[in-house]
Amino acid sequence: MVSRIQELKEKNNVVILAHYYQEPEIQDMADFVGDSLELSRKAAGTDADVILFCGVHFMAETAKIVNPSKKVLLPDMDAGCSLADSAPPDKFKAWLEKYPDHVVISYINCSADVKAMSDIICTSANAKKVIESVPKNKKIIFAPDRLLGQYMIKETGRDMVLWNGTCQVHEIFSEKALIRLKVKHQQALVLAHPECDENILVHADFIGSTSALIKKVGQTSNKEYIIVTEPGVIHHMQKHNPGKEFIPLPSNTGCACNECPHMRLNTMEKIISSLENMDNEITLDEQVRIKALKPLNRMLKIV
């Protein structure tokens, strides 16, 4: 399958981008693996004719927003996002009308339509910088992730109005399981993503974006780490830190494999099918794309 993908890539001048939450074999095959910010930058700078995005729908949309002349493919068009889906454009637009004097900062985990209604986009890696770029006399709306917004209010001291959306993976981690793991692995560092609820974050030794969590593992000498984010990231951590142990935190249901069901819809077989047929192409209304490009470019200029 890897050989076939390579053949199709060369034939059609394709670059394959993959998120850290993809299956290990997809991460190993991709040309570039990163978090939302890193992938946004890579998508904006590629000279490939075709971008095959192994992630979820909003990520592929983002690649299309910054590359209108390129073909952008998503292996499985059903690979959505619970967080992006929590902000339907019509309801979001009506909600914004209540706050006409606010600067709208939207987390990149949202649809192109929501991006088009925003003033600036952020990721978990740069949310603090983006918020701090807004003058203190300006009121702020932060959407769609309520939990990331709550964390950023603490980090920045800014009083923001929050849309009530969450990530289905990060909101259901078990605090009881985390306490049990901390007792059992007393030398382990707890690394958590800021999309988690406050009852989880209070137990963390380090809070950061996916790329920041990976970087932290390489910077520390601990042998054990309790990972409080989508466990797909453990593949990259283990690959570059073979002597260390990574323990995924279970969800409230007791499952120790708290994987994003949307991210895992992409498979090697679907990648081959998409490349063979050049299908599952992302298309956007041009007016929406142009409007969405402005807040994305504002973000890319800040970091």
Side-chain angles (χ1 to χ4, degrees), residues 6-294:
Q6 189 62 38
E7 178 186 336
L8 292 165
K9 275 174 52 185
E10 293 174 3
K11 177 184 176 182
N12 298 300
N13 190 21
V14 179
V15 64
I16 298 181
L17 308 181
H19 194 274
Y20 288 120
Y21 297 169
Q22 293 293 288
E23 295 287 359
E25 60 266 29
I26 293 178
Q27 293 188 45
D28 291 342
M29 170 276 303
D31 296 303
F32 182 81
V33 183
D35 64 7
S36 294
L37 177 59
E38 293 165 335
L39 293 172
S40 297
R41 287 173 170 161
K42 205 69 178 178
T46 184
D47 58 1
D49 295 322
V50 180
I51 300 170
L52 184 111
F53 213 117
C54 299
V56 291
H57 203 274
F58 80 81
M59 295 178 176
E61 277 190 343
T62 301
K64 185 63 177 180
I65 290 167
V66 298
N67 289 286
S69 63
K70 298 184 188 299
K71 190 183 289 284
V72 178
L73 307 177
L74 183 67
D76 191 319
M77 293 295 276
D78 290 329
C81 171
S82 61
L83 180 53
D85 291 345
S86 75
D90 54 343
K91 292 183 180 179
F92 189 71
K93 182 180 180 181
W95 184 74
L96 288 183
E97 290 172 358
K98 302 176 186 177
Y99 307 97
D101 56 344
H102 287 57
V103 174
V104 181
I105 299 176
S106 289
Y107 190 30
I108 199 166
N109 299 39
C110 64
S111 67
D113 290 299
V114 169
K115 287 181 176 70
M117 289 183 259
S118 307
D119 295 302
I120 188 165
I121 303 302
C122 75
T123 71
S124 56
N126 65 19
K128 186 175 181 180
K129 281 186 180 180
V130 168
I131 291 166
E132 290 176 342
S133 75
V134 178
K136 290 188 176 179
N137 63 328
K138 297 283 187 180
K139 298 177 182 178
I140 297 174
I141 278 174
F142 189 91
D145 195 308
R146 170 177 54 84
L147 297 179
L148 178 60
Q150 288 174 353
Y151 177 69
M152 284 299 139
I153 287 172
K154 288 191 171 186
E155 285 290 290
T156 64
R158 300 294 291 268
D159 184 18
M160 301 188 294
V161 178
L162 307 178
W163 175 266
N164 188 27
T166 55
C167 164
Q168 71 182 85
V169 170
H170 290 95
E171 73 170 332
I172 61 169
F173 282 117
S174 168
E175 183 182 16
K176 289 182 179 178
L178 179 53
I179 293 170
R180 285 196 295 268
L181 284 175
K182 288 185 72 172
V183 171
K184 185 177 179 181
H185 304 273
Q186 295 187 17
Q187 301 305 311
L189 272 188
V190 178
L191 308 182
H193 195 282
E195 287 182 29
C196 296
D197 205 337
E198 186 179 6
N199 71 325
I200 296 294
L201 296 182
V202 293
H203 299 287
D205 297 300
F206 180 78
I207 300 168
S209 66
T210 308
S211 58
L213 300 182
I214 290 170
K215 188 176 180 181
K216 189 68 175 177
V217 172
Q219 292 173 335
T220 50
S221 59
N222 298 65
K223 294 299 182 184
E224 294 182 317
Y225 298 83
I226 298 170
I227 304 302
V228 193
T229 189
E230 214 278 358
V233 72
I234 291 177
H235 174 67
H236 193 88
M237 292 173 170
Q238 193 78 71
K239 189 174 178 180
H240 295 277
N241 301 273
K244 299 183 177 183
E245 181 183 358
F246 302 95
I247 307 154
L249 179 63
S251 69
N252 286 323
T253 63
C255 175
C257 52
N258 198 21
E259 299 173 347
C260 173
H262 309 287
M263 284 281 188
R264 305 302 170 123
L265 286 176
N266 297 312
T267 65
M268 297 286 278
E269 291 85 358
K270 291 175 184 176
I271 290 168
I272 291 172
S273 176
S274 185
L275 289 177
E276 285 178 338
N277 302 301
M278 285 289 127
D279 60 5
N280 292 344
E281 182 178 358
I282 299 294
T283 58
L284 293 173
D285 177 86
E286 182 62 7
Q287 287 189 327
V288 171
R289 189 198 69 80
I290 291 170
K291 289 179 181 178
L293 180 61
K294 291 179 181 178

